[in-house]
Amino acid sequence: MDSPYSLLAQDDEDIQVMKAGAMLRKVKSRSWKKQRHFRLQDDGQTIWYKSRWAGTGHSTFSVGDIEAVREGHQSEVLQSIAEEFPADLCFTLVFRGRRGNLDLVAESASDAQAWIRGIRKLVQNTESMDAKERLDQWIWDWFQKADKNKDGRMNFKEVRSLLKMMNVDMNEEYALRLFTRADKSESGCLEIEEFVQFYKMLTQREDVWNVFQNYSRDGQMLTLAELEEFLRQEQQKGEESQDHAHELIVRFEPSETAKKQGAMSIDGFQIYLVSSEGDIFDPQRLELHQDMSQPLSHYFICSSHNTYLMEDQLRGQSSQEAYIRALKRGCRCVEVDCWDGPNGEPVVYHGHTFTSKILFRDVITTLGEYAFKVSEFPVVLSLENHCSVEQQRVMAQLMDTILGDTLLRAPLNGLVPQVLPSPLDLKGKILLKAKKIGGLEESDTLNDEVTDEVTDEVSDEDEPKSPSAETLSAEDLGLGDKVNLFTYVDMSCPLQKSKLSRELSDLVVYCKSVHFYGFEYSCQHSKCYEMSSFSESKARKLAKEKGMEFVQHNSRHLSRVYPSGMRTDSSNYNPQELWNVGCQMVALNVQTAGLEMDLNDGLFHQNGCCGYVLKPDFMRNDSSFDPERPEEREGYKPLRLSIQVISGQQLPKLNQKEGSIVDPLVRVEIYGVSKDQAKQETSYIHNNGFNPLWNETLNFIIHVPELALVRFVVEDYDKASRNDFVGQFTVPFTCIQPGYRHIHLLSKDGTALPLSSLFVNIKISELTTETE
């Protein structure tokens, strides 16, 4: 058996160059450029590199972790050494998740091209694998790891070591029995084909077999009628079951004989259950399926806070790369903090801190290039403007020149709107959110000679974004004890009223930033294109005390919520309670992994990952919804959610120490209105991360299904300390497919954990007096 990569590698010159290896400079900065020997390993999935002086020390990374290859000077680091190394020697490897990029310089243009082409082919080959090919590659990788002496065979000692590596603590007698059965040649070793048989015996899914047996009369096959019955009874497919059953056999049954009989074997049944069709997330909800023609205020909008930062708010790096990552995650609202820079050039950074600075023009160039690569719907550029009038004019000119026709400069059709336009109306447009002189109504009548005027604080956020100096010690900041903190965070001066450039003001159309004076004032006086920003504390207070009014306000106006200035570590608040009152732009620090970003990713994973999710009807048109009293809403229908957690598959090993095995448990968490907040968990399984079996049922009542998110978390139980995170997956309740489903787990960073999954049975029913 060959690995799926081997056919690609046999005759490909670029792959052969990579296997032979090359000296490449690894570049971290203008001053840090060091040569490393890079080589593609025999598995075709691992790139190995080391310093010539490192002895036996080396590093590796997987081709599967690479998202893209950028040629030339397409990173800030490589741009900084452009005079030293020409573009045809340079390339950047972009990794999935939050891992930093790898900037490389080859010794020749031909070497650079061979590595660029070769990596792209390997990435494309990995991404195009079907489920069976991914499994084959996974088996091949394990065989290579376990074959310590590299003789292409594996003795029982190596198999025992392999089982520990695969996160399973198996009885030695049982393991030897499986080994002996797989050793058809009776050589005392397993070759790759025999190892495949061993793996199949090891991974026999008794849980899936039991489900199969419940519907198969002969225990060997599911006839078309039996599969149809399974789909109707368990998967709740209703009238479409017959056509769907035929389609599943055609798509997933590996046996041509079974296909001709119109039947499905256990192999086909298992392939179906682990496919996207058997996923907990309804594949139809993954597509762009919502009505995109409603006013902007009727959508939740994926939003980033301090988008320029890669790390914390005090000393972190500002980077164009942060904008690229946010936009590729689907963010449709990004933030730019602008300050006067040298040579008349505005700069972007976190003011009054030691975060690094980048040029405003570079941010706008990046925005122009990446704004619509993932989604064609509008991007809101939230401008925190701290610049002088002169540099504001420079900003306006840069946006006008660089963004061109993508920058919205005037109302659609030249009309002053009564309601906001829709994402569909604004496709491919960038909207500036900032302060504005006057309103759209006066734009034609304002004296052209007026170029600027005194306005409110030009910066939009209404509380300090950094803590006062008194709250931080030099030791806290890691700056030593001789630092004058007021040179670091100077909040002693009151915010000054600022002048606003007319040129910049004129670029603000549908997102005019205004101070929030209360819901009654807003209802009577505010225009649809006026919007306010709220600190998390202010927004949470309003949500708790005046939830219904907040919902009503957000049906007409856009609201943006941003994290507290005390979150210097770039941590996040829970966005759910702000979504509960209809806030559209609930801005998070997307560079920070954790629960809050899991919820954000879960909500915006639907609707084609386009960054816009239509709010429920009762938040758009009905004035009676109060998230604190959901039972008072017209049409209130609570639902019962029953989740049988059956089993887990190939959970990742956390502790690489010899003999360490995961003790997994599953926790199901519900996020929604306060009445829906709930958590339940299974017991833990001792020493089995490979195929743990729980068969435990967790029950929940969901009062507002349209707002609920369901998060599945796997942890490694530890009685002496806090449990370790293993994996998670978050899904909107309305996107759940009922029935027997697999949940494909994600890492803490939000990237896929190959083959790691949970198998569950989900039932959703109306809550009646009898079922309570």
Side-chain angles (χ1 to χ4, degrees):
M1 170 186 164
D2 293 326
S3 79
Y5 136 87
S6 58
L7 295 176
L8 169 68
Q10 283 171 6
D11 303 313
D12 192 285
E13 292 181 7
D14 296 324
I15 304 297
Q16 295 305 319
V17 168
M18 292 177 67
K19 289 181 74 172
M23 294 303 294
L24 303 173
R25 276 187 179 83
K26 181 180 176 184
V27 185
K28 289 186 177 180
S29 67
R30 288 181 66 119
S31 58
W32 199 104
K33 305 181 287 283
K34 298 190 178 178
Q35 285 200 323
R36 297 287 183 264
H37 187 251
F38 283 76
R39 188 177 73 236
L40 177 67
Q41 294 193 303
D42 290 339
D43 64 0
Q45 290 292 299
T46 307
I47 293 175
W48 171 102
Y49 65 96
K50 65 172 286 189
S51 161
R52 66 179 68 174
W53 302 284
T56 58
H58 66 272
S59 300
T60 62
F61 57 87
S62 170
V63 169
D65 293 336
I66 300 173
E67 185 176 284
V69 186
R70 297 188 197 138
E71 293 186 58
H73 302 138
Q74 289 202 57
S75 75
E76 289 153 9
V77 170
L78 292 179
Q79 285 166 9
S80 73
I81 60 166
E83 292 180 5
E84 187 177 356
F85 298 103
D88 61 1
L89 300 182
C90 301
F91 60 100
T92 300
L93 302 186
V94 181
F95 292 96
R96 301 181 191 281
R98 294 173 174 82
R99 179 175 175 176
N101 296 346
L102 181 58
D103 291 306
L104 299 169
V105 180
E107 294 188 329
S108 69
S110 59
D111 272 358
Q113 278 302 309
W115 277 80
I116 289 166
R117 288 192 303 261
I119 291 173
R120 283 176 175 165
K121 289 171 194 171
L122 291 170
V123 170
Q124 184 180 10
N125 185 59
T126 300
E127 290 177 346
S128 64
M129 287 181 190
D130 60 25
K132 182 181 181 305
E133 288 170 331
R134 274 195 292 274
L135 180 58
D136 287 347
Q137 182 67 53
W138 192 80
I139 295 172
W140 177 271
D141 290 346
W142 278 117
F143 185 84
Q144 295 293 109
K145 288 176 187 174
D147 183 17
K148 298 292 187 187
N149 58 10
K150 302 302 176 189
D151 63 353
R153 308 163 77 208
M154 197 161 51
N155 59 36
F156 183 66
K157 183 179 179 182
E158 288 173 320
V159 167
R160 288 290 295 153
S161 173
L162 167 70
L163 293 176
K164 295 283 187 187
M165 290 162 65
M166 293 173 92
N167 217 355
V168 59
D169 187 17
M170 185 177 286
N171 175 278
E172 186 162 345
E173 185 180 334
Y174 178 61
L176 182 59
R177 195 158 64 244
L178 292 185
F179 180 92
T180 305
R181 281 169 58 191
D183 182 18
K184 300 293 184 187
S185 61
E186 299 183 356
S187 63
C189 291
L190 302 182
E191 297 185 7
I192 183 62
E193 296 292 351
E194 293 171 325
F195 177 65
V196 170
Q197 289 304 118
F198 172 79
Y199 175 81
K200 281 189 172 179
M201 288 187 283
L202 188 67
T203 57
Q204 280 180 343
R205 293 282 302 274
E206 193 172 329
D207 50 354
V208 173
W209 178 253
N210 289 336
V211 178
F212 184 84
Q213 291 288 304
N214 288 339
Y215 285 87
S216 172
R217 288 181 181 83
D218 66 3
Q220 302 300 313
M221 291 284 177
L222 284 174
T223 65
L224 185 64
E226 289 167 348
L227 181 55
E228 182 188 338
E229 179 72 4
F230 168 77
L231 293 174
R232 185 183 296 109
Q233 293 289 334
E234 302 292 351
Q235 311 297 75
Q236 298 188 21
K237 287 296 178 183
E239 293 181 2
E240 63 180 277
S241 295
Q242 186 170 5
D243 292 341
H244 195 53
H246 178 72
E247 179 195 338
L248 293 181
I249 291 170
V250 171
R251 285 179 60 191
F252 299 114
E253 178 50 51
S255 165
E256 290 300 324
T257 304
K259 272 187 189 177
K260 287 175 183 174
Q261 295 173 352
M264 181 176 270
S265 66
I266 180 63
D267 288 340
F269 187 66
Q270 185 163 320
I271 293 169
Y272 150 62
L273 284 176
V274 298
S275 75
S276 60
E277 284 288 333
D279 196 276
I280 188 172
F281 208 118
D282 185 344
Q284 293 182 350
R285 299 281 186 149
L286 289 173
E287 305 299 321
L288 183 66
H289 67 279
Q290 294 181 343
D291 177 6
M292 303 303 291
S293 64
Q294 302 210 23
L296 280 178
S297 55
H298 288 185
Y299 297 84
F300 296 121
I301 303 172
C302 188
S303 302
S304 167
H305 174 252
N306 286 357
T307 312
Y308 47 88
L309 287 177
M310 300 284 283
E311 302 158 29
D312 66 78
Q313 318 272 317
L314 291 178
R315 302 199 306 171
Q317 178 190 2
S318 302
S319 171
Q320 296 150 246
E321 190 65 39
Y323 285 93
I324 296 172
R325 292 186 180 190
L327 291 165
K328 288 174 84 170
R329 287 183 83 96
C331 286
R332 297 287 87 191
C333 176
V334 296
E335 185 182 14
V336 184
D337 275 13
C338 301
W339 300 79
D340 280 356
N343 307 315
E345 283 264 10
V347 293
V348 175
Y349 81 113
H350 197 43
H352 310 297
T353 69
F354 285 154
T355 58
S356 62
K357 299 172 183 176
I358 52 178
L359 292 177
F360 178 78
R361 78 163 62 235
D362 290 341
V363 170
I364 299 304
T365 300
T366 300
L367 183 62
E369 185 176 351
Y370 286 92
F372 303 108
K373 284 189 181 293
V374 168
S375 169
E376 59 189 350
F377 294 109
V379 171
V380 176
L381 178 58
S382 181
L383 193 65
E384 291 298 311
N385 175 12
H386 307 273
C387 291
S388 62
V389 169
E390 292 73 26
Q391 293 211 11
Q392 288 178 45
R393 289 184 183 129
V394 174
M395 289 160 56
Q397 190 267 329
L398 287 170
M399 285 190 282
D400 185 73
T401 304
I402 295 169
L403 299 179
D405 290 342
T406 61
L407 180 64
L408 188 77
R409 295 174 174 81
L412 301 178
N413 304 318
L415 302 174
V416 176
Q418 298 306 306
V419 294
L420 286 167
S422 71
L424 197 59
D425 295 329
L426 295 165
K427 253 195 210 180
K429 291 296 183 184
I430 294 172
L431 281 60
L432 183 62
K433 172 195 159 296
K435 300 286 185 181
K436 182 176 179 66
I437 302 168
L440 296 179
E441 294 81 1
E442 302 102 359
S443 59
D444 293 331
T445 59
L446 281 173
N447 188 331
D448 287 338
E449 294 179 8
V450 177
T451 57
D452 51 63
E453 67 176 41
V454 175
T455 182
D456 289 334
E457 292 81 26
V458 177
S459 175
D460 194 30
E461 298 190 355
D462 58 4
E463 72 171 16
K465 292 170 66 177
S466 301
S468 63
E470 290 92 306
T471 64
L472 294 169
S473 68
E475 187 179 357
D476 289 335
L477 300 175
L479 301 173
D481 57 4
K482 297 182 181 178
V483 176
N484 179 347
L485 289 185
F486 278 93
T487 66
Y488 182 77
V489 182
D490 185 2
M491 301 305 296
S492 57
C493 299
L495 290 170
Q496 299 295 314
K497 294 204 175 224
S498 306
K499 288 192 173 183
L500 178 61
S501 146
R502 175 69 187 276
E503 293 89 341
L504 190 61
S505 167
D506 284 351
L507 296 180
V508 178
V509 184
Y510 294 123
C511 298
K512 176 186 176 181
S513 295
V514 298
H515 185 76
F516 179 72
Y517 292 106
F519 293 123
E520 186 177 349
Y521 179 90
S522 169
C523 186
Q524 293 177 9
H525 302 288
S526 294
K527 311 294 185 184
C528 69
Y529 56 82
E530 294 179 330
M531 64 174 291
S532 300
S533 288
F534 303 87
S535 67
E536 62 172 281
S537 55
K538 183 172 181 179
R540 291 176 67 184
K541 187 172 188 293
L542 287 170
K544 195 154 194 69
E545 295 176 358
K546 298 185 176 183
M548 187 185 298
E549 291 173 81
F550 215 164
V551 172
Q552 293 166 1
H553 173 85
N554 286 326
S555 69
R556 301 181 301 270
H557 300 280
L558 292 171
S559 291
R560 177 176 168 271
V561 183
Y562 56 91
S564 161
M566 298 304 295
R567 295 185 180 274
T568 55
D569 58 353
S570 290
S571 61
N572 284 308
Y573 56 94
N574 188 326
Q576 183 68 53
E577 57 189 310
L578 289 318
W579 291 329
N580 289 344
V581 289
C583 292
Q584 299 87 357
M585 302 176 186
V586 182
L588 298 178
N589 293 302
V590 299
Q591 73 270 32
T592 306
L595 161 67
E596 298 81 12
M597 275 308 298
D598 293 344
L599 297 179
N600 195 77
D601 290 345
L603 176 67
F604 290 105
H605 193 48
Q606 62 185 308
N607 203 34
C609 296
C610 75
Y612 286 82
V613 169
L614 189 64
K615 293 196 282 191
D617 178 71
F618 55 81
M619 303 187 90
R620 294 180 265 134
N621 306 309
D622 181 8
S623 61
S624 68
F625 177 67
D626 184 340
E628 292 299 313
R629 289 180 285 278
E631 67 282 358
E632 295 177 7
R633 172 170 67 92
E634 187 179 344
Y636 166 68
K637 278 188 181 177
L639 296 175
R640 179 180 294 278
L641 172 65
S642 176
I643 302 172
Q644 182 191 10
V645 181
I646 301 171
S647 62
Q649 294 75 44
Q650 282 99 304
L651 302 177
K653 186 172 178 177
L654 302 175
N655 190 332
Q656 297 305 316
K657 287 182 182 175
E658 185 84 29
S660 173
I661 307 291
V662 169
D663 299 331
L665 62 82
V666 178
R667 185 169 62 256
V668 177
E669 304 171 347
I670 311 294
Y671 295 88
V673 299
S674 54
K675 278 196 170 182
D676 286 339
Q677 300 286 123
K679 296 179 184 181
Q680 291 183 43
E681 64 185 38
T682 66
S683 55
Y684 70 91
I685 305 296
H686 181 66
N687 265 11
N688 188 354
F690 188 74
N691 56 359
L693 200 64
W694 288 280
N695 278 320
E696 295 181 35
T697 300
L698 311 176
N699 291 300
F700 303 91
I701 294 172
I702 312 294
H703 295 272
V704 186
E706 298 89 342
L707 288 173
L709 293 167
V710 184
R711 183 172 184 252
F712 295 84
V713 190
V714 181
E715 290 184 344
D716 180 12
Y717 174 77
D718 191 326
K719 64 182 177 184
S721 62
R722 187 175 179 179
N723 294 347
D724 288 324
F725 175 91
V726 175
Q728 70 85 30
F729 190 78
T730 304
V731 55
F733 181 88
T734 54
C735 296
I736 289 176
Q737 291 199 102
Y740 286 97
R741 303 294 173 187
H742 278 88
I743 298 165
H744 298 279
L745 296 173
L746 303 176
S747 70
K748 186 174 184 180
D749 207 30
T751 55
L753 293 170
L755 301 182
S756 295
S757 61
L758 298 175
F759 186 43
V760 298
N761 184 15
I762 293 177
K763 289 183 167 57
I764 299 171
S765 57
E766 288 191 11
L767 190 67
T768 63
T769 307
E770 292 78 22
T771 59
E772 283 189 79

